[in-house]
Amino acid sequence: MPATIRLRQPDDWHVHLRDGAMLEAVVGATARQFGRAIVMPNLQPPITTVAAAQAYGERIRRALPAGSGFQPLLTAYLTETIDPREVEAGFRQGVWVACKLYPARATTNAEAGVGDLMAITPVLETMERIGMPLLIHGEVTDPEIDIFDREAVFIERHLAPLLQRHPGLKVVLEHITTSDAVDFVRSGPPQLAATITPHHLHINRNAMFRGGLRPDFYCLPVAKRELHRLALRAAATSGDPCFFLGTDSAPHARSAKESACGCAGIFNAPYAIESYAAVFEQEGALERLEAFASEHGPRFYGLPLNPGQIILERRPHAVDERLALTDAAGAPVELVPFHAGETLTWQLV
Ligand code: DOR
Ligand code: ZN
């Protein structure tokens, strides 16, 4: 059993950093571990213009701890009315690196998302031409479809036809949760990839109901049956370059999670790399953690690998039940971290 793990510095290819006080409270947790992160645009209002993205990037950089070299990689939020020229201009200027597709009303702040995929055909054609990745929240929103089937149905009804219509488009199916998604991505073309979160590697749907209703394990796409969790673990630890790290860390204040209509999202940023390391160790695949965390993502996005290193030590530590974070003005923000009350074996030094 190794006592330390040295890794090329990883990146997080899917994170929610939010804005304002929440941004100030959480950005340090991501910046401590990751060299770069793909930052989701589902703010209120969503990031749909180059100017809004530039301003958001500035706010992120201002919120970073002093001396941090962390680089936010911004994304555009696709609506049915976004102008393809705006998308292309922001990409060419290096302001944003990808577009995020939320099916309308699929999740937090997805009200302005896309109802009819055909309506964004011109944008997708532009992205295909300029090599700009499309990041997809892959769930149908049809209330007739069982929530546990929404990812698999999306793949069949929407993703497969979309890839046929746009064979050159780079696509990331985000935060996959099913063996259906694993199989689809693995057997797909090289320009198709998927991110996998730490929570979907650790929990199945029982976690939401263990001893009562547990809002801290509610996220979207919702965790599925055990067989799906096992398929995700096999995929993440397989060494296949089409699977890479994306935490989908999605902080909501504890009061917003623990309410009559609790928000979807798991805040895993504080111990994300430790959480992945636990999975890779349990699967006997620690030697493949670096490729998943630090190599497959940049290669897919056509970016250089990070030059730096991080070190994890075998040093069991308890995760706090609650984190009382403070924003830049000193105001408290209470969050429940993923793994609250558990002991993690690896610790980032
Ligand atoms: O659980 C989730 N939370 N899933 C998402 O797709 C969005 C995210 C959020 O922004 O809270
Ligand atoms: Zn997300």
Side-chain angles (χ1 to χ4, degrees):
M1 283 204 301
T4 58
I5 308 172
R6 282 170 191 278
L7 294 179
R8 182 185 291 282
Q9 186 171 36
D11 302 298
D12 184 351
W13 299 97
H14 182 132
V15 71
H16 299 267
L17 294 181
R18 312 300 194 203
D19 212 345
M22 187 66 92
L23 166 65
E24 289 164 358
V26 304
V27 70
T30 292
R32 197 171 68 91
Q33 303 163 65
F34 298 108
R36 298 164 286 200
I38 291 270
V39 182
M40 289 295 125
N42 61 333
L43 306 182
Q44 268 177 326
I47 303 290
T48 55
T49 65
V50 177
Q54 272 167 327
Y56 184 40
E58 266 312 302
R59 295 198 294 281
I60 295 171
R61 281 182 282 275
R62 272 204 308 270
L64 284 170
S68 171
F70 174 76
Q71 198 191 346
L73 303 172
L74 302 180
T75 54
Y77 182 115
L78 291 183
T79 65
E80 290 187 19
T81 55
I82 195 167
D83 187 336
R85 286 168 302 187
E86 183 81 2
V87 168
E88 178 166 2
F91 184 69
R92 297 225 183 267
Q93 291 166 40
V95 176
W96 49 37
V97 302
C99 288
K100 179 64 189 268
L101 168 62
Y102 289 105
R105 294 170 301 280
T107 187
T108 309
N109 298 341
E111 293 74 19
V114 176
D116 173 13
L117 278 178
M118 297 311 287
I120 58 165
T121 296
V123 184
L124 298 184
E125 284 170 354
T126 297
M127 293 169 66
E128 194 174 0
R129 174 169 54 76
I130 65 180
M132 183 179 191
L134 175 70
L135 317 182
I136 302 183
H137 183 109
E139 286 191 288
V140 290
T141 54
D142 182 348
E144 300 284 299
I145 306 292
D146 190 287
I147 191 166
F148 295 102
D149 297 333
R150 287 182 191 172
E151 182 175 277
V153 173
F154 181 90
I155 291 169
E156 188 189 311
R157 278 194 199 166
H158 300 295
L159 182 56
L162 183 145
L163 295 176
Q164 297 253 309
R165 292 197 299 277
H166 303 282
L169 187 61
K170 281 178 134 177
V171 171
V172 183
L173 186 55
E174 299 286 356
H175 42 54
I176 59 170
T177 60
T178 58
S179 66
D180 311 67
V182 167
D183 294 344
F184 186 81
V185 172
R186 186 178 270 143
S187 61
Q191 67 273 20
L192 174 64
T195 52
I196 306 181
T197 75
H199 41 282
H200 291 111
L201 294 170
H202 279 279
I203 62 166
N204 64 31
R205 63 192 194 174
N206 289 340
M208 288 181 290
F209 308 106
R210 206 179 59 228
L213 197 53
R214 307 284 299 266
D216 299 323
F217 298 112
Y218 173 56
C219 63
L220 287 169
V222 70
K224 308 294 193 298
R225 284 180 182 277
E226 178 66 358
L227 73 92
H228 296 293
R229 186 183 76 100
L230 296 179
L232 295 170
R233 287 170 78 102
T237 58
S238 66
D240 192 329
C242 65
F243 301 112
F244 48 82
L245 187 158
T247 64
D248 197 20
S249 179
H252 293 277
R254 189 165 83 85
S255 55
K257 294 281 297 172
E258 299 177 10
S259 81
C261 188
C263 298
I266 293 179
F267 178 52
N268 60 33
Y271 303 105
I273 194 67
E274 289 96 333
S275 181
Y276 284 112
V279 170
F280 277 72
E281 178 160 56
Q282 287 154 11
E283 296 293 326
L286 270 181
E287 75 284 359
R288 290 200 278 273
L289 175 60
E290 181 171 58
F292 175 80
S294 319
E295 295 172 3
H296 297 165
R299 288 199 180 115
F300 181 87
Y301 278 88
L303 293 169
L305 305 186
N306 289 323
Q309 274 205 336
I310 62 163
I311 298 172
L312 300 175
E313 279 182 7
R314 185 181 296 282
R315 194 194 289 163
H317 57 108
V319 176
D320 289 338
E321 294 280 357
R322 289 172 198 179
L323 296 179
L325 303 179
T326 45
D327 66 20
V333 181
E334 193 177 52
L335 293 163
V336 178
F338 187 48
H339 295 298
E342 296 173 26
T343 296
L344 287 168
T345 305
W346 293 99
Q347 189 164 41
L348 182 69
V349 291

